Amino acid sequence: MSIILSSTSQGLLWAIMAIGVYLTFRILDIADLTAEGSFPLGAAVCAQLLVNGWSPLWATLAAMLAGVLAGWVSGLLHTVLKIPALLTGILTMTALYSINLRIMGKANVNIQMNDTLITWLTDTGLSKNNAVLVLGIIAVTIVITILYLFFNTEFGLSIRATGNNEEMSRANGIKTGVMRVIGYMLSNGLIALSGALMMQNNGYADINMGIGTIVIGLASIIIGEVIFPKITLGKRLVMIVIGAIIYRLIIAAVLELGVAPTDLKLFSAIILTICLSAPLVRTKLLAFILPSKERKV
Amino acid sequence: MEKVLELKKVHKTFEVGTPNENHVLKGIDLTIHQGDFVTIIGGNGAGKSTLLNIIAGNFPVDEGTISLKGQEVTKKKMEARSKEIGRVFQDPRTGTATGLTIEENLALALRRGKHKRLFKMGIRKTEKEFFKEQLKRLELNLENRLKSEVGLLSGGQRQALTLLMATLVTPQLLLLDEHTAALDPKTSASVLALTNQVVAESQLTTFMITHNMEDALKYGNRLIMLHDGKIVVDVAREEKADLSVSDLLTLFHKNSGESLTDDSLLLA
């Protein structure tokens, strides 16, 4: 029971990152690796500000803003300098490693003695696990509500059209470059927010905490897509949250089975590979089970 | 009569300085007036699509100027020209955002060339009724499928929808790039008939590329034939109305000094 509870609460915090990845990966149709740098960036900024006595709320929002800036840089590299998206992400992520070290001043910043959003909640009498759960639910609800409204405005619709069909968008007067940059900014802002929340949950920021971020984000998205392949945007965002929770449950189960924590990244990659190949496997299985006449493609 | 589009000495060369250098447009002078429905024919590589693309602003010209409604737009990008120009593309996948719904596509088309605002809903309630009315004109039963993803529609339905989107806000100039070439003959004929109806209803100034001589003669009130980057035939009004395919071939021969078979054009 406690594993389910902790996987759910962790999944909620990771889900915000996964939603951020979804904005670039699916809505803008860009594979952006900036996540690997903006996630620890959020953690680093938030940790350093907490240590310097900032209020947890402001520190968290500032961390998000730092992510927005990282996204802005990636966005400009991609749209103005026309660097391919994959390389753009690698460039920003590499640069952020040094920047994150600069921000933290060392490889690891401990905030266990500081107030955080989570201690605010435990001060009301909640247990640590329940506090994380409440924080996760509040944060996810706010993020999904705002994004849902945003993507139904004229502006949000234009961003979705840009990712879906650039030529059509330009023919309808949409400034696709600007839309991409804004998508990058939103995406990395959310990823940094997730990093800041996760850091408060862990009690410390670590320079290496970004490794594997993109794999976790993609796995959460794809698990949601494997369960429900075709749904509308609002439901999709909710499915990513469920996907992130399922992913945490799978990881918890793998650890229960006795896999060493050091092998976890290997298993993360294997899980993502299985998820990515699921649509193909499903088609092949159907073809194998059903006689050709009844087959639905 | 008011000039809608004016091209002066337009040149365009692709892959300059490479062995593949290709001088596609060789000094095009062209003026299109209000209400002209121009059909453009020409063989493969004659420059039809390039001509259309430089008007739309897909890529810049090397030399010459382009004016829309008396304003020079030579250096303006496609997005900036979109307010005046409606487009339907050859590939049915190009003109619509297939991952968005029919109403979302129409909502974007309704805001073509306008500033996209953050605090305005993408689709307003009053607009839905308008979209339904407009979709009814297509007679494809799409008015009951506002929330369907465009990716679920057939090629013909998408081209009809794109045509509606391109004309939802009346454009100064409608550009049609072989928009029925990818459709089967029956669908192609019905989309062309619809095009003709829409153009006539709103008296749209239209520029239609076609690979089919019969269609080029049947539709529109002015016909232009491109050959090797130059305009070799330009006939309008009564002169065009009386033209037959064989007249056209003769005219082409006289003006270009080359002979051309009906087949080579039709197959291009």
Side-chain angles (χ1 to χ4, degrees):
Chain A
M1 192 58 212
S2 76
I3 290 180
I4 294 178
L5 188 66
S6 71
S7 298
T8 306
S9 51
Q10 297 244 334
L12 287 168
L13 300 187
W14 282 112
I16 294 170
M17 181 276 291
I19 289 172
V21 173
Y22 179 79
L23 298 191
T24 45
F25 184 63
R26 284 294 190 228
I27 292 188
L28 284 178
D29 199 18
I30 291 171
D32 177 32
L33 295 178
T34 312
E36 301 261 320
S38 53
F39 186 80
L41 172 69
V45 169
C46 186
Q48 198 55 263
L49 291 176
L50 286 180
V51 168
N52 281 295
W54 279 47
S55 147
L57 190 61
W58 288 112
T60 307
L61 290 175
M64 192 171 167
L65 192 65
V68 168
L69 280 175
W72 180 67
V73 171
S74 280
L76 290 185
L77 290 180
H78 178 55
T79 57
V80 177
L81 299 182
K82 311 280 181 209
I83 299 172
L86 218 51
L87 291 177
T88 300
I90 292 172
L91 290 174
T92 320
M93 160 185 125
T94 307
L96 280 172
Y97 190 88
S98 294
I99 291 169
N100 291 342
L101 265 179
R102 278 258 175 211
I103 291 169
M104 296 200 290
K106 52 192 176 195
N108 195 299
V109 173
N110 196 310
I111 54 132
Q112 253 143 12
M113 302 307 291
N114 298 90
D115 269 352
T116 65
L117 291 175
I118 293 166
T119 62
W120 278 5
L121 288 166
T122 50
D123 285 349
T124 65
L126 286 171
S127 70
K128 162 89 193 292
N129 264 343
N130 286 337
V132 178
L133 192 67
V134 170
L135 177 65
I137 290 171
I138 294 172
V140 163
T141 309
I142 294 174
V143 165
I144 290 184
T145 309
I146 290 178
L147 283 182
Y148 180 76
L149 292 174
F150 172 71
F151 280 114
N152 280 304
T153 63
E154 292 182 355
F155 201 89
L157 212 51
S158 304
I159 292 187
R160 286 164 61 203
T162 298
N164 200 260
N165 186 340
E166 168 144 32
E167 179 133 34
M168 172 270 189
S169 303
R170 291 182 59 213
N172 283 292
I174 296 170
K175 295 189 177 97
T176 52
V178 176
M179 295 300 150
R180 285 230 167 78
V181 175
I182 289 168
Y184 264 104
M185 290 164 76
L186 273 178
S187 161
N188 285 290
L190 289 174
I191 293 164
L193 170 64
S194 173
L197 295 177
M198 193 54 76
M199 184 280 298
Q200 294 176 56
N201 175 58
N202 295 346
Y204 62 89
D206 186 275
I207 186 67
N208 290 322
M209 71 189 283
I211 298 173
T213 306
I214 197 79
V215 170
I216 298 171
L218 291 179
S220 310
I221 294 167
I222 310 278
I223 289 172
E225 289 179 347
V226 168
I227 299 173
F228 289 112
K230 283 245 159 222
I231 46 177
T232 55
L233 183 73
K235 290 177 190 150
R236 172 60 63 211
L237 295 177
V238 174
M239 265 329 282
I240 294 171
V241 177
I242 294 169
I245 293 171
I246 292 174
Y247 178 79
R248 289 325 300 179
L249 286 170
I250 295 173
I251 292 291
V254 167
L255 286 172
E256 279 295 300
L257 289 172
V259 169
T262 44
D263 291 333
L264 214 50
K265 299 272 187 241
L266 173 64
F267 276 86
S268 305
I270 293 173
I271 292 167
L272 179 56
T273 308
I274 294 171
C275 296
L276 284 170
S277 57
L280 179 72
V281 173
R282 182 155 59 187
T283 324
K284 295 259 176 200
L285 264 182
L286 278 178
F288 182 72
I289 296 165
L290 299 173
S292 56
K293 273 184 187 168
E294 295 171 31
R295 202 180 299 162
K296 280 187 207 164
V297 182
Chain B
M1 233 182 321
E2 200 184 351
K3 288 177 190 171
V4 173
L5 176 77
E6 193 169 23
L7 272 68
K8 283 185 186 158
K9 302 203 168 29
V10 166
H11 284 266
K12 180 72 192 173
T13 306
F14 289 106
E15 305 196 53
V16 179
T18 72
N20 293 327
E21 187 169 301
N22 188 6
H23 196 169
V24 181
L25 297 181
K26 298 171 180 168
I28 300 277
D29 284 302
L30 175 66
T31 304
I32 297 180
H33 295 98
Q34 184 73 48
D36 277 359
F37 182 170
V38 187
T39 56
I40 292 114
I41 48 172
N44 233 346
K48 304 182 301 271
S49 285
T50 306
L51 180 60
L52 186 136
N53 279 320
I54 60 132
I55 294 171
N58 262 30
F59 32 72
V61 298
D62 302 331
E63 271 177 59
T65 59
I66 305 167
S67 305
L68 262 176
K69 292 291 262 182
Q71 291 220 318
E72 197 185 319
V73 295
T74 317
K75 297 219 180 315
K76 279 195 179 173
K77 284 188 188 165
M78 186 166 148
E79 299 91 296
R81 296 185 202 179
S82 71
K83 197 167 185 189
E84 274 80 36
I85 296 179
R87 288 182 83 182
V88 186
F89 305 81
Q90 180 169 3
D91 186 339
R93 281 168 301 191
T94 312
T96 48
T98 50
L100 306 189
T101 61
I102 292 177
E103 59 176 5
E104 286 169 337
N105 272 279
L106 287 168
L108 286 166
L110 194 59
R111 291 158 181 77
R112 192 184 69 229
K114 291 193 190 128
H115 184 62
K116 308 294 187 294
R117 285 160 298 185
L118 181 54
F119 294 106
K120 283 276 184 199
M121 283 308 286
I123 306 163
R124 268 154 262 165
K125 275 216 178 95
T126 47
E127 289 171 359
K128 290 197 185 197
E129 283 309 310
F130 174 64
F131 293 161
K132 276 189 187 168
E133 269 169 43
Q134 294 294 315
L135 285 166
K136 266 187 199 145
R137 294 168 54 201
L138 305 181
E139 293 175 3
L140 291 169
N141 236 352
L142 295 180
E143 59 272 19
N144 302 318
R145 297 176 63 188
L146 279 182
K147 290 202 181 296
S148 290
E149 246 183 50
V150 172
L152 300 170
L153 305 185
S154 69
Q157 288 173 324
R158 275 187 220 176
Q159 288 306 68
L161 179 62
T162 310
L163 182 68
L164 178 60
M165 287 167 61
T167 54
L168 201 57
V169 177
T170 307
Q172 298 294 342
L173 181 63
L174 177 64
L175 300 179
L176 309 168
D177 185 1
E178 294 198 44
H179 67 306
T180 63
L183 307 175
D184 64 77
K186 197 169 158 239
T187 317
S188 169
S190 73
V191 171
L192 267 178
L194 180 70
T195 305
N196 202 34
Q197 182 197 334
V198 170
V199 169
E201 272 171 18
S202 312
Q203 301 278 305
L204 296 173
T205 310
T206 305
F207 191 91
M208 178 171 95
I209 295 181
T210 172
H211 59 289
N212 187 324
M213 275 200 186
E214 305 274 358
D215 287 340
L217 290 167
K218 183 173 166 193
Y219 297 103
N221 51 21
R222 184 173 167 193
L223 184 148
I224 287 175
M225 191 187 250
L226 276 182
H227 179 69
D228 197 22
K230 289 178 195 144
I231 294 173
V232 289
V233 175
D234 186 348
V235 289
R237 320 277 157 200
E238 293 79 23
E239 198 190 344
K240 177 191 180 272
D242 297 337
L243 219 58
S244 70
V245 171
S246 66
D247 293 340
L248 198 55
L249 293 173
T250 317
L251 207 53
F252 173 83
H253 181 61
K254 198 180 93 192
N255 293 356
S256 71
E258 288 176 46
S259 67
L260 184 77
T261 61
D262 191 354
D263 280 1
S264 75
L265 244 185
L266 288 173
L267 295 172

